């Protein structure tokens, strides 16, 4: 699966390079995530039309997804998802305007949002899916203002206990890696 600047999402046959299907929902594709855990599956795309679309692996819009109509900003950066932890089932993404969103993974409704300074880069959630021993549900993200931040994934505003934001003094252009 790949998304293009002209706004087309393609599924390409990995054996012969031939397109299997394509859709053009509107707006440039700013990033995407293809995910299949058995609980959630599909392709989520973020577009310059300020929407997050969810497609099935067959190229159809997911039947319960609302396309996150209320973002009002262009989502970007690499998103993160947790459908593993009981009661969570959410998708997180940042934006070029400094907003971060928590979106319901079942229907696309915005559950929480918060605004920071700088363009947000890629983010990662430490959840039961990525680390069964940790499962603290914190969101780590950098931004163009040079700050590495960590926030509670439920409201996106609270700092976790013992965390101090770190100022690198330079724009952060990569996804935080947790080990």
């Amino acid at each position: 699966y790949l998304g293009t600047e002209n706004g087309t999402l393609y599924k390409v046959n990995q054996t012969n390079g031939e397109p299997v299907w394509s859709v053009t929902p509107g707006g440039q594709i700013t990033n995407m995530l293809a995910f299949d855990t058995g609980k959630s599956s599909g392709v989520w795309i973020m577009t310059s039309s300020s929407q997050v679309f969810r497609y099935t692996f067959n190229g159809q819009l997911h039947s319960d997804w609302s396309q996150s109509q209320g973002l009002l900003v262009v989502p970007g950066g690499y998103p993160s998802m947790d459908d593993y932890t009981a009661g969570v089932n959410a998708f997180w993404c940042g934006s070029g305007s400094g907003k971060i969103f928590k979106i319901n993974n079942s229907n696309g409704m915005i559950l929480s949002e918060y605004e920071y300074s700088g363009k947000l880069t890629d983010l990662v959630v430490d959840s039961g899916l990525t680390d069964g021993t940790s499962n603290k549900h914190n969101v780590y993200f950098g931004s163009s203002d040079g700050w590495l931040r960590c926030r509670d994934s439920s409201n996106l505003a609270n700092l976790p206990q013992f965390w101090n934001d770190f100022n690198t003094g330079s724009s952060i252009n990569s996804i935080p890696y947790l080990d």
Side-chain angles (χ1 to χ4, degrees):
Y1 302 90
L2 61 104
T4 65
E5 187 175 359
N6 74 357
T8 302
L9 173 66
Y10 292 93
K11 178 178 182 177
V12 177
N13 183 306
Q14 64 185 6
T15 301
N16 62 22
E18 295 291 322
V20 176
W21 53 258
S22 66
V23 294
T24 306
Q28 295 176 339
I29 295 176
T30 58
N31 215 325
M32 62 164 272
L33 173 68
F35 200 77
D36 187 1
T37 65
K39 290 172 78 176
S40 293
S41 64
V43 182
W44 290 257
I45 61 167
M46 297 173 282
T47 69
S48 62
S49 64
S50 302
Q51 294 177 295
V52 176
F53 292 86
R54 181 178 177 188
Y55 286 91
T56 66
F57 288 131
N58 295 324
Q60 304 298 312
L61 280 172
H62 191 277
S63 60
D64 298 329
W65 190 262
S66 74
Q67 278 55 264
S68 302
Q69 302 275 345
L71 291 180
L72 304 178
V73 296
V74 176
Y78 193 76
S80 191
M81 182 183 301
D82 181 12
D83 72 343
Y84 178 84
T85 307
V88 176
N89 200 20
F91 172 94
W92 292 264
C93 65
S95 74
S97 68
K99 280 194 171 186
I100 185 171
F101 297 93
K102 177 182 180 183
I103 298 172
N104 183 308
N105 190 38
S106 296
N107 60 25
M109 301 301 293
I110 298 169
L111 299 172
S112 181
E113 65 183 87
Y114 202 84
E115 189 164 359
Y116 295 94
S117 63
K119 175 183 177 183
L120 298 186
T121 57
D122 307 322
L123 53 90
V124 64
V125 176
D126 68 342
S127 65
L129 179 62
T130 57
D131 182 357
T133 62
S134 171
N135 200 16
K136 296 177 183 145
H137 259 277
N138 297 320
V139 179
Y140 296 82
F141 55 98
S143 70
S144 62
D145 66 2
W147 284 93
L148 174 65
R149 295 178 174 91
C150 178
R151 296 295 184 269
D152 179 288
S153 69
S154 63
N155 65 19
L156 305 173
N158 295 343
L159 273 77
Q161 186 178 13
F162 306 116
W163 175 264
N164 294 303
D165 290 342
F166 171 61
N167 186 351
T168 66
S170 180
S171 181
I172 299 173
N173 299 319
S174 66
I175 187 169
Y177 177 79
L178 306 176
D179 69 356

